Amino acid sequence: MRSASVSPNESESYVDLGHHMLEHSTRVPGRYWMIGDVRHGRRYLRSYALDPKVNKARIEAGIQVTADTIQELAGRLGMEPATLQGTVERFNGFARSGVDQDFGRGNSAYDRYYSDPLVRPNPNRGPLEKGPFTAIQIVPGDLGTKGGVLTDEVGRALRGDGTLIEGLSAAGNNSASVMGNTYPGPGATLGPAAVFGYLAGRHMAAM
Ligand SMILES: Cc1cc2nc3c(=O)[nH]c(=O)nc-3n(C[C@H](O)[C@H](O)[C@H](O)COP(=O)(O)OP(=O)(O)OC[C@H]3O[C@@H](n4cnc5c(N)ncnc54)[C@H](O)[C@@H]3O)c2cc1C
């Protein structure tokens, strides 16, 4: 189920999140900070934090910042301390009530799929309370275009009017996504690429 949120919600599918980040931001390509407290860092696997060299490089590049308090963190990020403090307090209030009035985290089955069921009342939200706090810069990236040529059921390329382009097949990122403009979950890029690549190859071999 797609999240009802129209603002960035990091629990939703990353295609939806990418769209929402681009819609929400006044900057292009948009820049966000993900902030975690010390308990978050200890409790959850953060693959980017496993390699000390990567950590060091991120700190040196200014895209990973740690501070003992939220106010100090704000200062280091060039933000107004009172504003960030207020945002964190609002976030923590929603974590305690369980209802995310800003971004709707935890509203959909998709959100909750990767959540922590031990965190209550909302498995997608935990309060930011215990320093040090770490901020990591997040920017939209790409792993697929969702564009490309429309194909038929065996991967043959079609013109805009639906007629076949003889001798041309397409699969993967070169072809229009069978998932349309949405993304039901991880594998929705590689799965169709493998299936339609296989179907196209088999069809060509039979010709
Ligand atoms: C970090 C990351 C994580 C991902 N995780 C997942 C996931 O969990 N599940 C999932 O389904 N998908 C995932 N994807 C997406 C998926 O990996 C890609 O969408 C998929 O690999 C695209 O395959 P492709 O063959 O269409 O294109 P590509 O793998 O990009 O292959 C295109 C090839 O064409 C070559 N090429 C380009 N131009 C030319 C030229 N002029 N002449 C000859 N060769 C050329 C390129 O060098 C490249 O080898 C992820 C992608 C990234 C980046």
Side-chain angles (χ1 to χ4, degrees):
M1 190 169 90
R2 193 181 162 121
S3 168
S5 161
V6 292
S7 299
N9 159 10
E10 63 271 40
S11 312
E12 65 189 344
S13 95
Y14 36 75
V15 168
D16 291 340
L17 175 60
H19 286 152
H20 292 150
M21 286 171 83
L22 294 169
E23 286 163 16
H24 187 253
S25 177
T26 51
R27 294 169 186 253
V28 176
R31 195 177 61 158
Y32 292 80
W33 292 96
M34 180 177 78
I35 299 176
D37 72 358
V38 70
R39 294 172 308 182
H40 180 270
R42 286 189 190 135
R43 184 159 181 168
Y44 303 109
L45 176 71
R46 296 185 297 183
S47 52
Y48 52 80
L50 291 178
D51 184 344
K53 278 187 286 198
V54 174
N55 254 338
K56 188 166 173 279
R58 294 174 67 97
I59 292 165
E60 285 170 2
I63 57 175
Q64 180 171 322
V65 178
T66 298
D68 287 335
T69 65
I70 290 293
Q71 302 239 347
E72 191 189 331
L73 186 68
R76 297 191 56 198
L77 297 175
M79 296 176 187
E80 177 56 47
T83 304
L84 185 61
Q85 185 72 45
T87 302
V88 168
E89 280 166 17
R90 184 175 169 83
F91 178 96
N92 288 351
F94 295 153
R96 289 187 197 100
S97 70
V99 181
D100 181 352
Q101 290 179 27
D102 286 338
F103 301 111
R105 294 182 192 88
N107 283 357
S108 74
Y110 191 103
D111 288 6
R112 292 191 294 275
Y113 179 67
Y114 281 121
S115 67
D116 182 347
L118 297 177
V119 174
R120 296 200 177 96
N122 184 334
N124 287 97
R125 295 188 68 120
L128 296 168
E129 288 170 328
K130 198 170 161 42
F133 301 91
T134 296
I136 310 268
Q137 190 176 304
I138 307 286
V139 295
D142 66 344
L143 53 77
T145 62
K146 287 206 166 285
V149 65
L150 195 65
T151 56
D152 69 3
E153 71 281 4
V154 288
R156 292 179 298 181
L158 302 174
R159 292 189 184 83
D161 65 5
T163 57
L164 278 177
I165 303 175
E166 289 300 331
L168 185 65
S169 297
N173 278 341
N174 280 330
S175 61
S177 172
V178 70
M179 303 295 172
N181 204 30
T182 191
Y183 195 72
T189 317
L190 288 173
V195 167
F196 284 97
Y198 171 75
L199 289 173
R202 204 169 65 159
H203 183 80
M204 282 185 265
M207 284 169 69

